[in-house]
Amino acid sequence: MRSVVRGIGCWCWFVPAVALAAVANRPAEYVRQWPLQLDGADAGAYRVHLDEAVYRTAHSPTLADVQPFNAQGQPLPAALAEVDAAVPAAELQPLPVFVLPAEGTARAGDLELIAERDADGRIRRLQAREPGGAPASATPRAWLLDASALRAPMQALRLEWDAAAAPVQAELRVEGSEDLRDWYLLDPHAAVMDLGNGAQRLQQRRIVLDSHARYLRVQLLSGSLPPLRVARAELPGPLRPDATRWLGLDGQPQERGYVYTLPGRFPVGQVDVEAADNQATRWIVQSRDSEDAPWVKRAGPWLAFQLGAGPAAQRSAPQALAVPSRDRYWRLIPDSGEAAAMPRLRLGYRPETLVFIAQGAAPYTLAAGSARVHRAEAPLSQLVATLRRARGPDWQPARATLSAQAQVLAGEAALEPAPRPIDWKTWLLWALLVGGALLVAGFALTLLRGRGATPAA
């Protein structure tokens, strides 16, 4: 009887222990890894751009199986983050400033401006006078700004004035002109200020504009404003180069079109059709992640054409997807027209950035490809946003680059699903039921033996 009870106790301890044994997130559970080279040994936070080899190795549709490790094989906090999406810094170009008399503020149409300009329209000398030839007052309550040298539209105007002991709070009227005669309104009530409260300071010297005007006139409507010292035109910063990379896929004909297989978890954001000859066909693009899943429309119908050959050929523009997709299977369906030969599908993607926190000892590695373990997502996008507020919008984590030579870990075995975890609650319930039945049977057997051993009267 005691042996039966001890056996039940052993099962009660064994079942939970087996159930809690989970697959650990370690490098041995991934297909391969790449050594990481860091720019700076003490930056703390790093960013690594994922290349084609990583996308071809990844198995998870969310890239949850892309994980950095330290030298001890411990997983590092990491997450995909848009660290390269900061708006390029605006360009500032100084504008020549000419003082206009106060009378011009009230009766701008009556003010006569005598301007000496060069061949490009830039003002060399400006003289303002009232009708009748009398010189106007020199009280600075209006200014003329020469923007004729700008080669791009102005998105804002930044004003700087001499430091004043009294607080500055004023309302300005901003107008534009192409010939210094006809003026049109740009901003009827632009507010500027420079207020102080001990060590704290509130400044607003930027006036948002969307102007192509060659000349600007700034007039003081209310409040006080010290004499303008500098005026700068804010121009859009340089555009970032297109980072889209393209994959060309050959397909297989099916009943309704052509099917293509994407060799990795690329974040496809654009599609294009490439033909070997002249063509003009309207296409519909669909995708799905497994062979038994329904097709989902991604783009189209849109006209894809090609006329001519070589660099001088005329081709249609790629079609952008509403939402990037990592689906494995893609299908082209002709909506109108017929392709003379099987078209080649081109899929465009923008490489993503993985941000991670360096913990533990170097060297660090980046592993990819696993159906058994997944990365725990860290709140690093929030970290980047917080640091950009503190250090400026152009701040980025230090760069980490992938080594070209990958190291094979578990290989294709890492893509086999992990064994299903044991349902320890069910096993424990069965163990208790069987143990209880054995216990009852033991008590019954003991009672039967006791009755058989009773001596006859």
Side-chain angles (χ1 to χ4, degrees):
M1 181 65 187
R2 291 179 180 177
S3 61
V4 173
V5 175
R6 283 198 298 269
I8 296 174
C10 293
W11 272 100
C12 292
W13 282 102
F14 173 73
V15 172
V18 173
L20 293 176
V23 179
N25 188 2
R26 53 194 177 91
E29 301 298 335
Y30 291 82
V31 174
R32 60 178 59 90
Q33 68 179 7
W34 294 263
L36 290 172
Q37 299 178 354
L38 308 182
D39 290 353
D42 56 352
Y46 295 89
R47 72 187 192 279
V48 54
H49 294 284
L50 306 183
D51 61 9
E52 183 174 340
V54 176
Y55 286 116
R56 288 181 177 270
T57 306
H59 175 75
S60 168
T62 60
L63 293 193
D65 58 342
V66 177
Q67 173 70 64
F69 290 93
N70 60 19
Q72 291 76 35
Q74 299 170 336
L76 303 177
L80 295 174
E82 294 287 344
V83 297
D84 295 330
V87 177
E91 295 182 355
L92 298 179
Q93 185 168 337
L95 301 178
V97 179
F98 300 91
V99 177
L100 296 175
E103 285 78 4
T105 304
R107 302 191 309 275
D110 297 334
L111 187 66
E112 294 182 4
L113 295 177
I114 303 175
E116 180 182 341
R117 292 179 285 184
D118 59 15
D120 294 329
R122 289 190 290 266
I123 299 176
R124 290 181 177 178
R125 187 174 63 90
L126 180 68
Q127 179 180 357
R129 65 181 184 183
E130 296 181 7
S137 172
T139 304
R141 292 184 60 86
W143 296 266
L144 178 68
L145 311 181
D146 185 3
S148 58
L150 300 183
R151 294 295 178 261
M154 183 190 314
Q155 64 182 17
L157 177 65
R158 298 191 183 188
L159 304 178
E160 295 184 13
W161 49 78
D162 295 330
V168 175
Q169 187 170 6
E171 188 178 36
L172 304 177
R173 175 186 177 94
V174 183
E175 299 173 304
S177 175
E178 306 301 324
D179 54 9
L180 293 174
R181 291 188 300 269
D182 299 322
W183 296 88
Y184 50 88
L185 188 62
L186 295 176
D187 192 331
H189 303 285
V192 294
M193 64 185 64
D194 189 351
L195 306 176
N197 182 14
Q200 299 179 346
R201 199 161 196 84
L202 176 61
Q203 292 184 337
Q204 168 58 29
R205 304 188 178 197
R206 183 176 181 267
I207 302 174
V208 178
L209 300 175
D210 184 10
S211 171
H212 297 258
R214 293 168 62 88
Y215 309 101
L216 300 177
R217 185 165 61 188
V218 179
Q219 304 177 18
L220 180 62
L221 296 181
S222 63
S224 61
L225 186 68
L228 285 184
R229 181 166 52 87
V230 178
R232 290 185 173 91
E234 182 180 307
L235 307 178
L239 297 177
R240 296 187 181 274
D242 187 7
T244 302
R245 300 181 183 179
W246 293 90
L247 296 170
L249 305 180
D250 295 319
Q252 298 292 332
Q254 281 194 353
E255 180 180 356
R256 294 192 58 196
Y258 307 92
V259 175
Y260 307 79
T261 302
L262 184 64
R265 291 300 187 179
F266 299 89
V268 176
Q270 297 185 63
V271 295
D272 197 7
V273 177
E274 187 179 76
D277 201 353
N278 297 330
Q279 61 108 8
T281 308
R282 288 208 312 172
W283 297 100
I284 295 176
V285 179
Q286 300 174 333
S287 71
R288 62 184 181 183
D289 198 45
S290 61
E291 294 183 345
D292 56 352
W295 290 100
V296 177
K297 182 180 177 182
R298 297 297 180 183
W302 99 97
L303 175 64
F305 63 87
Q306 176 177 320
L307 301 176
Q314 295 180 343
R315 296 182 177 88
S316 55
Q319 188 78 359
L321 305 187
V323 179
S325 173
R326 303 184 196 272
D327 286 350
R328 287 285 192 180
Y329 302 98
W330 295 75
R331 182 166 70 172
L332 275 178
I333 299 177
D335 183 64
S336 65
E338 295 292 337
M342 180 183 299
R344 200 162 189 257
L345 179 63
R346 298 177 68 237
L347 299 178
Y349 71 97
R350 288 177 176 265
E352 296 162 293
T353 302
L354 185 77
V355 177
F356 67 92
I357 302 297
Q359 296 178 348
Y364 304 108
T365 58
L366 184 72
S370 179
R372 305 166 64 87
V373 292
H374 293 87
R375 179 184 71 249
E377 204 73 5
L380 297 189
S381 294
Q382 182 179 356
L383 172 65
V384 171
T386 301
L387 291 176
R388 278 183 170 168
R389 286 194 296 269
R391 303 183 183 182
D394 294 329
W395 180 86
Q396 294 188 93
R399 184 182 298 275
T401 55
L402 292 168
S403 173
Q405 187 65 33
Q407 302 170 356
V408 177
L409 298 173
E412 297 300 318
L415 301 181
E416 298 177 1
R420 295 184 59 183
I422 297 175
D423 187 358
W424 64 269
K425 292 183 178 179
T426 302
W427 280 100
L428 181 59
L429 178 60
W430 277 106
L432 292 175
L433 291 175
V434 172
L438 292 176
L439 187 62
V440 172
F443 279 121
L445 183 61
T446 301
L447 291 175
L448 290 176
R449 286 178 179 178
R451 288 183 178 184
T454 302

